[in-house]
Amino acid sequence: MLRKWSDYKHRFLPWIYLNFTKHAVDAKAIDKPSLIDTVYIQLENFSASSQVNHRYLLQSSGFGLSIKNSSVHSRGVFVREGRVTSGSIVGYYPGTIYTPGDSVFLQSISNSFLFQCSDGRLVDGKNTGYSGMVYRSCGERNRLGPYRTCDSSWLTATDSMVNPIACGQLVNNGGADHANVEYCEIDIDLRRVKLSQRCMIPNIQFGEPSTYMRLVVLVAVRDIAKGEELLSAYFSFC
């Protein structure tokens, strides 16, 4: 029970509120406009093939990722090939996006993957149970004719994901001393993403879709070598 609480408390919202000031980590200055431009470029160039996207990521960003067992906790995300350079986007935090006021009671039960943004929005990165059902349902609801508006392949939580970096929910906590990535909240204008490419976005809005979508990306705070595990500090935001 104590082990489960130790793993879960960093996602438990009341605990976060009480401990944020005490444990907050000073995040490095991040060029958000540059990150947003990178996201647009990635979404434009990703295809329906996981293998093609892995090659594109390696060629364009210099690294590839893999999900495998972790000595920190359960499974984690590792640099499989190449090298991550500081400032690179290494992950998207996938899931259903909830605004303040949306009901998340059922989704929150035994859920250690609810990510709270600075403005109170939540991103539910759990891929199973009720959370997974809600994501799939919203994805079908938001179809625009023949076009899917989200990527559901992250629900498999394997290297076969279409978006090869939609694995931010699996990044383990390394604490301030060992973190090599940090979370960054950005808003993208969906009008700048072709309808045919919105299926590369591993997020869906729970409520009525809006023009702008919140994304949480993970950004490297230092160079990360091949074989290293991506580790965050749960209280580090930019």
Side-chain angles (χ1 to χ4, degrees):
M1 181 64 71
L2 290 176
R3 174 64 182 275
K4 285 187 176 181
W5 169 246
S6 178
D7 294 334
Y8 177 71
K9 66 183 180 181
H10 296 97
R11 307 285 189 175
F12 183 58
L13 299 186
W15 189 90
I16 292 176
Y17 289 139
L18 292 173
N19 287 270
F20 185 84
T21 301
K22 178 180 178 182
H23 296 280
V25 177
D26 291 331
K28 294 184 178 181
I30 295 293
D31 183 359
K32 286 192 177 183
S34 178
L35 291 182
I36 294 172
D37 286 341
T38 298
V39 168
Y40 288 138
I41 292 171
Q42 289 178 339
L43 295 177
E44 175 70 22
N45 286 279
F46 284 156
S47 73
S49 168
S50 175
Q51 291 183 341
V52 170
N53 293 339
H54 276 285
R55 288 197 297 269
Y56 167 75
L57 183 66
L58 182 61
Q59 293 169 359
S60 63
S61 300
F63 68 89
L65 301 179
S66 182
I67 299 169
K68 59 183 182 179
N69 293 336
S70 167
S71 60
V72 177
H73 171 68
S74 185
R75 292 190 300 163
V77 182
F78 294 79
V79 180
R80 179 178 63 187
E81 53 189 336
R83 184 180 184 86
V84 176
T85 57
S86 180
S88 299
I89 294 178
V90 294
Y92 291 57
Y93 199 101
T96 306
I97 303 168
Y98 297 91
T99 57
D102 289 335
S103 176
V104 294
F105 176 74
L106 292 177
Q107 297 91 316
S108 68
I109 297 174
S110 298
N111 188 349
S112 61
F113 296 98
L114 275 174
F115 181 97
Q116 184 178 28
C117 297
S118 58
D119 61 358
R121 298 185 206 192
L122 297 172
V123 184
D124 185 3
K126 187 176 180 180
N127 65 326
T128 59
Y130 189 68
S131 295
M133 291 172 55
V134 168
Y135 187 90
R136 290 186 178 91
S137 176
C138 290
E140 289 300 315
R141 177 201 66 189
N142 288 3
R143 272 181 177 265
L144 296 173
Y147 299 109
R148 292 182 296 111
T149 57
C150 67
D151 172 22
S152 298
S153 66
W154 70 270
L155 293 166
T156 65
T158 66
D159 289 342
S160 63
M161 298 179 299
V162 173
N163 183 326
I165 53 176
C167 51
Q169 84 283 14
L170 298 176
V171 172
N172 285 314
N173 179 34
D177 294 334
H178 302 288
N180 50 29
V181 304
E182 66 182 1
Y183 302 98
C184 191
E185 302 168 15
I186 59 176
D187 293 313
I188 64 168
D189 185 345
L190 291 176
R191 292 171 298 186
R192 292 189 56 184
V193 183
K194 294 178 182 178
L195 279 179
S196 59
Q197 293 303 110
R198 292 186 189 179
C199 59
M200 299 295 115
I201 302 173
N203 297 93
I204 196 74
Q205 297 167 344
F206 178 74
E208 184 176 350
S210 61
T211 301
Y212 290 88
M213 174 177 280
R214 169 63 48 83
L215 294 183
V216 177
V217 295
L218 283 78
V219 181
V221 297
R222 64 167 175 81
D223 290 353
I224 309 172
K226 178 180 178 180
E228 283 193 76
E229 180 175 2
L230 303 186
L231 297 171
S232 68
Y234 284 162
F235 292 98
S236 178
F237 303 87
C238 70

